[in-house]
Amino acid sequence: MYPAYSDRYNDPYAQSDFDELLAFGANMSKIPASSRTEVCRTLLKRQKNPPGPGIHLHLMVGRLLSDACGDIPRILDGLSSIPPGSLHDERMQKLVAIHTEALKRLQNVSRKVGTLEHKQKSVQSVLESKDTNGSKKDENRLLREKLEAIRSMEKHLDETGDTN
């Protein structure tokens, strides 16, 4: 028996079986964040070798549970590289479809949060640059601007949640 052939069947991460993947996700959800990071590091190391569908699928599940499992665009690329028809189990196809959409949503939310954080920092820098010894009118105006910026961010987050 060839060693690579044997390793593929002894390595649970190389498997693309629905029940194994479901068990992996359930087990990973029960372990502390530091242990999840270690699992992700192992998966990412194995991704450097020509990865099979099993590694891509495990990263897909792992990324929903830990940011340490890599970049979402790279994981989505890995999933799209799985040959069509190689996932014969209909349950697996549905699981991949659900997880793919969840990852896309997570990616969009991360982008929007980053944009809002940038806006908040710019508002804070404007407020900090203003003279703190100014009149009561200036202070009230600055507080209104800050309140309006916060309301705008909340509204944007609410709209984002509604569209996804």
Side-chain angles (χ1 to χ4, degrees):
M1 189 176 280
Y2 297 106
Y5 184 77
S6 173
D7 288 347
R8 181 164 294 261
Y9 288 96
N10 291 331
D11 179 6
Y13 298 140
Q15 302 300 313
S16 56
D17 174 70
F18 177 81
D19 292 323
E20 196 288 318
L21 198 62
L22 206 56
F24 168 77
N27 290 334
M28 193 168 174
S29 71
K30 295 176 187 174
I31 61 176
S34 59
S35 297
R36 290 179 188 178
T37 299
E38 287 303 314
V39 170
C40 289
R41 283 186 188 144
T42 301
L43 286 167
L44 289 169
K45 284 179 189 172
R46 294 191 186 170
Q47 185 184 32
K48 290 179 183 175
N49 298 329
I55 298 296
H56 294 304
L57 294 168
H58 282 80
L59 282 168
M60 169 192 74
V61 171
R63 183 57 177 86
L64 290 177
L65 299 168
S66 174
D67 292 345
C69 274
D71 296 325
I72 292 174
R74 188 166 181 198
I75 292 169
L76 293 173
D77 287 345
L79 291 173
S80 66
S81 74
I82 297 173
S86 65
L87 300 176
H88 301 292
D89 187 343
E90 186 179 338
R91 299 175 302 162
M92 180 63 82
Q93 293 169 3
K94 290 177 181 178
L95 183 71
V96 170
I98 292 166
H99 279 65
T100 298
E101 286 305 309
L103 286 171
K104 287 177 183 176
R105 222 177 113 90
L106 185 61
Q107 182 180 13
N108 288 336
V109 168
S110 294
R111 277 191 206 133
K112 289 174 184 171
V113 166
T115 301
L116 289 174
E117 285 173 348
H118 178 72
K119 287 180 183 177
Q120 182 181 14
K121 285 179 185 176
S122 65
V123 167
Q124 286 175 341
S125 67
V126 166
L127 292 175
E128 289 170 359
S129 69
K130 298 290 182 181
D131 182 21
T132 56
N133 296 329
S135 70
K136 196 72 170 169
K137 261 187 184 179
D138 287 342
E139 186 177 335
N140 286 340
R141 184 181 54 77
L142 291 174
L143 288 173
R144 269 187 254 122
E145 286 176 8
K146 189 171 184 178
L147 180 60
E148 190 59 39
I150 291 170
R151 285 181 179 151
S152 173
M153 285 187 262
E154 287 176 342
K155 181 180 177 187
H156 186 66
L157 281 173
D158 289 343
E159 290 171 356
T160 302
D162 292 341
T163 60
N164 288 328

